[in-house]
Amino acid sequence: MKRNIHLFLSVLLFFIGINIEATSDEKKEINGNNIPNNNLSYKPLLDTAKHSAITFIEQEINYNAPLSGTIYLAWKTENYPSEEAVDWNDNTKLTEGLLYLPMVAHGDTFSVQLKVPVGTTLQYYFWITKNKQGHYQDFWDLQSSGKITVADAAPISKKAIYEKAETKKESHIISKGWLILLFIIAVYLLLKWFDKKWITNNNQSSITEKVLFMGVSLIGFHALARSEIINVRLMNIVHDYSGITKIIKGSVSDFLFVTGLVIVFILILLLIKNIQIRKWVFGAFTFFALVSTLVAFMNITTVIFLGKPFNYQWLYYSGFLGSNEAKTALLENLSVSIVLNSIAICFSMLLFSNILHRIYRLVILNKRLMIITYLIFGLGLVFLGAKAQKTKVNWTKGQSENAITHMVYSMLNADSNSSFFSAKIPDEQEAFNPAQCEKLETSFISLKNHNVKNVMFIVLESAGASYFDGYGGTYQLSPNLNKYAKHALIFDQMYAHAPATNLSLASILGSMYPYLSYKSLTQEAPDVNYPTISSVLKNMGYRTSFFSSADLRFQNCKQFLTHRGFDRIEDFSTIKCSEQFQDIKFKELNGIDDLCLANCLTSWLDEDTTQNFFSMIWTVQGHYPYYFAQKEEDFSVSNFSFNRYLNCMKHSDELIGKVMQALEERKLTSTTLVVVVGDHGEAFGQHKQYGHGTAIYEENLKVPLYFINSTLFHGERKSDVAGMKDLATTVLSVVDADIPQIWQGRDLLSTYSNESFFFAPWSDYLFGYRKNNMKYIFNESQNTVEVYDLNNDPKEKTNLYQQLSKEEIVQARNRVAAWAQFQDKFVKGILKGKE
């Protein structure tokens, strides 16, 4: 009994020490390499803002980078907030927790004099933004980064490492499973020998003790797996104990899960007296512990690919399991090497529980040793727990969630009608019509007696409407669009149906809603027999072309376009352009200056001036990493990426001006309908998200749309809800062409609509619906609903879900379900026809 009291006290202290609440942050952590401390010469300066006197020094940092043209030193300190440190050096900008200072070139070496306080811990990185030729790059040389405690020494000198760091695709800890097992076997054998030599009391351990120590071992192995997920390098803990507090904070959900599991089984054991049944209960606990260990380490790879643990909703939607990302994750999880190493880790967990038990038995032999051990262990846990509570972290919620509890929670909170694809549609609800609209008594404009026969699409990559002058933007990005606005029809409420280029491509060309899946038509069925605006006009004798400054190999877009009736298809790889962009990390992001598209277009136009033409040009510079080679204008937004993006949008406007000038010089403006549209939006911190593919808020989906023709339009604006699927239908009506019956679009010039539908499956499974001024966002992965009144809340800051009646939400869900089921059947019908 006395030994059991000691045992429970040890475990209790352990659990108290680790029960610390976790927090999360949306920003991804950048891990630098630890480097030795350096000594510096210094001079005292006065900081009257927060300190009466701080001793500052000028730390010289040299970076030899012979292939680079523009480099920024990105840095931060652990001792002072970045908001304070931004004032220490001139020309410093603060963005997302990092401070940026331009480095000065001296031949192949870039230098900076960084003013920092003596004794502060400085972490620094090198961000290469242009190469030697002045072409834009976006490369973080993390292999040359470092971390020092500023002292008194010589300047820091680093040499650029241009090799692409190996992309992390699997767990490094799992790959070392057999080494972990060998080490633990060695420790186990040593303790077993010691146990036999020194312990004379060989009383058999109780099953309760075995459960407790296996629980402690299970917590340790969960923490080991979590350390990799939250990017804590175990080797660095020797020099920096803060890694331990980060692991403790990141493992709270794991600790709570194991604690609950242990308590449940101990309670069961206390209620059962039969020895054989107690052994079965222990066997069941061992099984759960092994499964839990296996899931914890498999979750490393899952989080690498998905950013969060797997859940019930993703299992429910079979389309996800067909995605390339899921296939890759599953294959890596089931590879022979990973399976064998995972088995080794599971055995290691069992042996480690035995090791802990043997250590405990050794400690309690000596009362003084036992008391000292309890004190050290208890005080250590209290200290680390207190430090963990104050530790700032840089991981997302998905990186710190226990995989099993996450799955169970998603199952318990899954509504039986949560799947839009299988939900029962009320009998009284009318059949879904994708082109549903109201016919205007008279067309919005007069289409009689015009000579418009040519069509020119200018698709702007990642062009969010809110940034443009014509949509309330304050950055003065679009002087050319402003110039031609008097000859344009502007649509105030234009949406992409999905925040993805390849899905918008299919919607624009084929007048259809997107494929509601992780799959895409461009990738899965590039040769599908389906009419597009290009193929229709080609059959009418039009010349057709498609020019992109991006890489059309992305998602098999080039192969898809070859089956769409285009005479000529060119991308960055074939278009002559002096300004080439290369991304070291992601080859798919290679491109050229968007202005080169204008030269390519004019050359193509001049090849044949007798035929009507349809041409589409698609830009790339608006896509991350926002290629821009010219001198950047400072838009005073303090965010480097956002500022560069705004420069790219203004650059796109320059392209529009060049295309319009080319048409004017060839006297084609009156006979050509120019359609300027964004393929989707781009977020910069709104709703704590960046980019475009992770959400379906206004900044992700709402895009500019201009129809430009001096004969047809005179500065009109149209305020009903329009979508990508409507563009081809509208254009064909303008040039008096027959519209394919299978199309889903409506004529924007002669009809009115107040609804549209949206979809995004890349982060969570998101469905969106706009009806009049109300917008609904259904997160089927998280089982949440957001509702916004866009008239009164255009930035979607106030979720009205709790204020609406259940009937209103049900009506919206039924409408989305009708759309999802119709579109799913529609696309499957197209693909079946392909077979």
Side-chain angles (χ1 to χ4, degrees):
M1 173 65 78
K2 186 176 181 180
R3 190 175 71 174
N4 284 340
I5 293 174
H6 294 323
L7 174 63
F8 276 93
L9 180 59
S10 297
V11 176
L12 179 62
L13 281 171
F14 182 80
F15 285 131
I16 290 175
I18 52 87
N19 189 18
I20 307 297
E21 181 181 1
T23 60
S24 64
D25 187 82
E26 296 297 327
K27 185 175 178 289
K28 293 183 179 178
E29 183 178 14
I30 301 175
N31 290 306
N33 299 321
N34 288 330
I35 61 175
N37 292 343
N38 290 293
N39 299 319
L40 303 144
S41 58
Y42 61 88
K43 58 182 180 180
L45 294 176
L46 184 66
D47 184 350
T48 58
K50 292 191 176 182
H51 305 276
S52 58
I54 298 179
T55 303
F56 280 81
I57 63 166
E58 289 193 352
Q59 167 69 73
E60 181 179 342
I61 300 178
N62 300 309
Y63 182 59
N64 183 254
L67 304 181
S68 302
T70 302
I71 300 173
Y72 286 87
L73 180 76
W75 60 283
K76 60 182 179 180
T77 69
E78 295 183 358
N79 312 79
Y80 299 89
S82 297
E83 291 77 10
E84 177 183 346
V86 71
D87 297 325
W88 295 344
N89 298 272
D90 294 335
N91 302 317
T92 301
K93 287 192 175 183
L94 170 63
T95 300
E96 299 177 50
L98 280 179
L99 297 158
Y100 293 82
L101 190 62
M103 302 189 76
V104 179
H106 304 283
D108 290 340
T109 299
F110 293 77
S111 301
V112 68
Q113 296 286 341
L114 186 65
K115 189 184 300 179
V116 289
V118 174
T120 189
T121 300
L122 173 67
Q123 195 159 356
Y124 60 90
Y125 319 91
F126 300 102
W127 181 32
I128 302 172
T129 62
K130 291 182 182 178
N131 63 16
K132 201 72 169 180
Q133 292 72 39
H135 300 162
Y136 178 69
Q137 292 180 313
D138 180 32
F139 178 64
W140 287 81
D141 181 7
L142 297 182
Q143 297 183 71
S144 300
S145 60
K147 183 177 182 181
I148 64 167
T149 298
V150 177
D152 183 17
I156 298 172
S157 295
K158 290 283 185 174
K159 184 174 178 61
I161 301 175
Y162 291 103
E163 289 80 7
K164 176 183 174 183
E166 189 65 27
T167 302
K168 184 179 182 182
K169 291 295 185 183
E170 64 178 23
S171 165
H172 296 310
I173 290 180
I174 292 179
S175 65
K176 303 297 189 297
W178 64 276
L179 286 176
I180 295 174
L181 179 59
L182 289 177
F183 174 76
I184 288 184
I185 288 175
V187 175
Y188 171 77
L189 293 175
L190 179 63
L191 278 175
K192 189 174 182 180
W193 171 82
F194 198 80
D195 195 358
K196 288 182 177 180
K197 184 176 181 64
W198 293 97
I199 298 179
T200 57
N201 184 4
N202 290 317
N203 293 335
Q204 188 173 3
S205 302
S206 69
I207 293 178
T208 302
E209 285 185 11
K210 292 179 179 180
V211 169
L212 282 169
F213 281 105
M214 190 175 294
V216 175
S217 176
L218 188 58
I219 287 175
F221 273 78
H222 271 74
L224 178 64
R226 188 66 58 189
S227 69
E228 182 169 8
I229 293 175
I230 63 177
N231 297 317
V232 173
R233 299 179 182 181
L234 296 178
M235 296 301 296
N236 291 347
I237 292 177
V238 178
H239 309 287
D240 183 7
Y241 75 90
S242 65
I244 299 176
T245 61
K246 289 180 180 179
I247 294 174
I248 291 175
K249 195 162 192 173
S251 303
V252 169
S253 64
D254 300 316
F255 299 151
L256 295 177
F257 165 73
V258 176
T259 301
L261 191 66
V262 169
I263 290 174
V264 167
F265 274 89
I266 286 180
L267 289 176
I268 294 173
L269 289 171
L270 292 176
L271 295 174
I272 296 173
K273 303 301 181 183
N274 185 285
I275 300 298
Q276 187 61 42
I277 296 178
R278 286 170 64 86
K279 289 181 179 180
W280 290 347
V281 171
F282 178 68
F285 177 79
T286 303
F287 172 76
F288 278 111
L290 290 171
V291 170
S292 174
T293 302
L294 185 63
V295 171
F297 282 87
M298 291 297 99
N299 186 50
I300 298 174
T301 306
T302 302
V303 174
I304 288 172
F305 280 100
L306 307 180
K308 62 181 67 176
F310 211 67
N311 62 22
Y312 171 78
Q313 284 75 14
W314 279 336
L315 281 177
Y316 198 94
Y317 287 97
S318 60
F320 173 78
L321 292 178
S323 71
N324 293 331
E325 291 87 353
K327 288 178 180 177
T328 302
L330 289 173
L331 286 174
E332 293 212 8
N333 279 339
L334 297 176
S335 68
V336 175
S337 173
I338 288 179
V339 169
L340 292 177
N341 278 292
S342 299
I343 293 173
I345 287 174
C346 289
F347 277 112
S348 298
M349 187 277 299
L350 294 178
L351 282 177
F352 188 59
S353 68
N354 193 286
I355 290 172
L356 292 175
H357 200 174
R358 290 180 182 275
I359 292 175
Y360 166 75
R361 293 174 63 189
L362 287 172
V363 168
I364 62 175
L365 289 177
N366 185 291
K367 186 175 181 179
R368 181 177 297 178
L369 176 62
M370 181 184 66
I371 294 174
I372 293 173
T373 301
Y374 280 155
L375 285 174
I376 294 175
F377 188 63
L379 292 174
L381 286 178
V382 170
F383 172 75
L384 290 174
K387 293 292 290 185
Q389 195 168 21
K390 298 178 181 179
T391 299
K392 294 182 179 180
V393 298
N394 294 294
W395 54 75
T396 64
K397 181 180 178 181
Q399 289 177 288
S400 61
E401 288 184 294
N402 178 267
I404 295 178
T405 57
H406 182 80
M407 172 63 78
V408 172
Y409 178 82
S410 68
M411 293 175 68
L412 294 175
N413 287 274
D415 189 338
S416 59
N417 293 322
S418 64
S419 172
F420 288 118
F421 295 119
S422 61
K424 180 175 174 53
I425 308 299
D427 296 335
E428 63 273 16
Q429 184 169 315
E430 62 180 325
F432 183 81
N433 176 10
Q436 181 173 324
C437 57
E438 297 179 19
K439 190 76 174 178
L440 297 176
E441 293 184 3
T442 58
S443 180
F444 196 77
I445 61 167
S446 176
L447 293 177
K448 296 181 180 180
N449 302 321
H450 70 78
N451 193 33
V452 177
K453 52 189 179 181
N454 302 312
V455 179
M456 180 75 239
F457 269 78
I458 305 175
V459 185
L460 307 180
E461 174 64 47
S462 305
S466 63
Y467 308 120
F468 283 76
D469 303 352
Y471 291 83
T474 60
Y475 304 107
Q476 298 181 353
L477 302 180
S478 42
N480 287 291
L481 277 177
N482 297 343
K483 172 183 175 182
Y484 292 103
K486 60 184 178 183
H487 301 306
L489 169 61
I490 304 174
F491 294 82
D492 293 328
Q493 307 293 335
M494 175 62 184
Y495 288 92
H497 302 298
T501 295
N502 57 321
L503 271 64
S504 289
L505 175 65
S507 291
I508 293 173
L509 291 177
S511 191
M512 62 183 294
Y513 279 113
Y515 187 6
L516 303 184
S517 171
Y518 273 86
K519 300 176 182 178
S520 67
L521 287 178
T522 61
Q523 182 72 32
E524 304 296 329
D527 58 343
V528 63
N529 184 19
Y530 185 85
T532 58
I533 183 174
S534 48
S535 63
V536 169
L537 294 178
K538 173 66 176 176
N539 292 335
M540 292 174 58
Y542 276 62
R543 298 174 65 218
T544 56
S545 63
F546 188 102
F547 303 113
S548 171
S549 48
D551 187 346
L552 289 177
R553 292 174 298 180
F554 174 73
Q555 283 290 302
N556 210 25
C557 286
K558 190 165 188 177
Q559 187 68 18
F560 176 78
L561 292 170
T562 59
H563 296 278
R564 307 276 76 86
F566 284 105
D567 297 325
R568 183 178 298 178
I569 303 168
E570 294 195 51
D571 67 359
F572 90 105
S573 64
T574 57
I575 297 175
K576 293 182 179 179
C577 186
S578 60
E579 201 65 66
Q580 299 278 337
F581 303 119
Q582 294 183 350
D583 191 280
I584 298 175
K585 294 179 291 184
F586 305 105
K587 296 300 182 184
E588 313 86 52
L589 298 181
N590 290 340
I592 57 174
D593 193 314
D594 289 336
L595 295 187
C596 292
L597 295 175
N599 298 331
C600 193
L601 171 68
T602 55
S603 298
W604 179 78
L605 289 175
D606 293 338
E607 290 177 6
D608 187 342
T609 60
T610 60
Q611 282 183 279
N612 297 339
F613 68 85
F614 168 76
S615 186
M616 178 176 283
I617 61 177
W618 204 300
T619 68
V620 70
Q621 288 182 255
H623 195 288
Y624 177 85
Y626 317 120
Y627 301 122
F628 194 74
Q630 289 74 29
K631 180 177 175 58
E632 291 184 33
E633 180 179 345
D634 187 354
F635 288 98
S636 300
V637 293
S638 77
N639 182 305
F640 274 98
S641 294
F642 187 29
N643 193 79
R644 182 163 286 145
Y645 168 82
L646 294 175
N647 276 274
C648 292
M649 289 298 101
K650 193 166 186 177
H651 197 60
S652 297
D653 181 79
E654 186 178 351
L655 169 66
I656 296 168
K658 285 186 173 296
V659 171
M660 294 303 299
Q661 182 182 354
L663 295 176
E664 290 170 356
E665 292 172 350
R666 290 158 180 78
K667 296 180 170 45
L668 293 171
T669 52
S670 62
T671 60
T672 304
L673 173 63
V674 178
V675 179
V676 179
V677 65
D679 65 341
H680 50 71
E682 192 79 349
F684 288 93
Q686 306 96 319
H687 300 95
K688 297 183 180 180
Q689 45 124 12
Y690 293 83
H692 49 263
T694 59
I696 51 175
Y697 295 110
E698 295 291 278
E699 60 266 21
N700 302 91
L701 298 173
K702 193 172 182 181
V703 296
L705 174 60
Y706 288 70
F707 280 9
I708 304 174
N709 180 273
S710 58
T711 302
L712 299 177
F713 311 114
H714 306 90
E716 298 89 349
R717 298 187 79 105
K718 200 164 185 285
S719 59
D720 61 332
V721 180
M724 291 291 179
K725 70 177 182 63
D726 304 319
L727 292 179
T729 299
T730 305
V731 170
L732 286 192
S733 70
V734 171
V735 299
D736 197 25
D738 292 334
I739 299 172
Q741 292 185 353
I742 196 173
W743 278 10
Q744 298 180 339
R746 66 181 179 90
D747 180 3
L748 295 173
L749 303 181
S750 61
T751 63
Y752 172 90
S753 176
N754 61 0
E755 75 172 359
S756 191
F757 299 86
F758 319 112
F759 174 70
W762 299 283
S763 177
D764 289 328
Y765 232 99
L766 304 174
F767 291 83
Y769 173 53
R770 175 166 179 180
K771 178 73 171 180
N772 293 319
N773 60 305
M774 303 301 290
K775 183 177 174 185
Y776 304 80
I777 299 175
F778 298 97
N779 187 323
E780 295 297 277
S781 298
Q782 302 294 332
N783 198 29
T784 61
V785 181
E786 298 173 56
V787 185
Y788 300 99
D789 181 347
L790 296 180
N791 282 354
N792 299 318
D793 183 23
K795 295 184 178 180
E796 299 167 295
K797 292 185 175 181
T798 304
N799 184 4
L800 303 177
Y801 171 63
Q802 297 294 340
Q803 302 177 29
L804 299 185
S805 66
K806 183 178 179 180
E807 289 72 22
E808 290 178 276
I809 300 299
V810 169
Q811 287 178 4
R813 286 194 67 88
N814 287 339
R815 187 64 178 155
V816 175
W819 168 63
Q821 292 176 29
F822 176 91
Q823 191 63 13
D824 186 56
K825 183 178 180 180
F826 177 80
V827 174
K828 287 179 178 177
I830 294 174
L831 297 177
K832 186 176 181 180
K834 174 181 179 294
E835 298 173 357

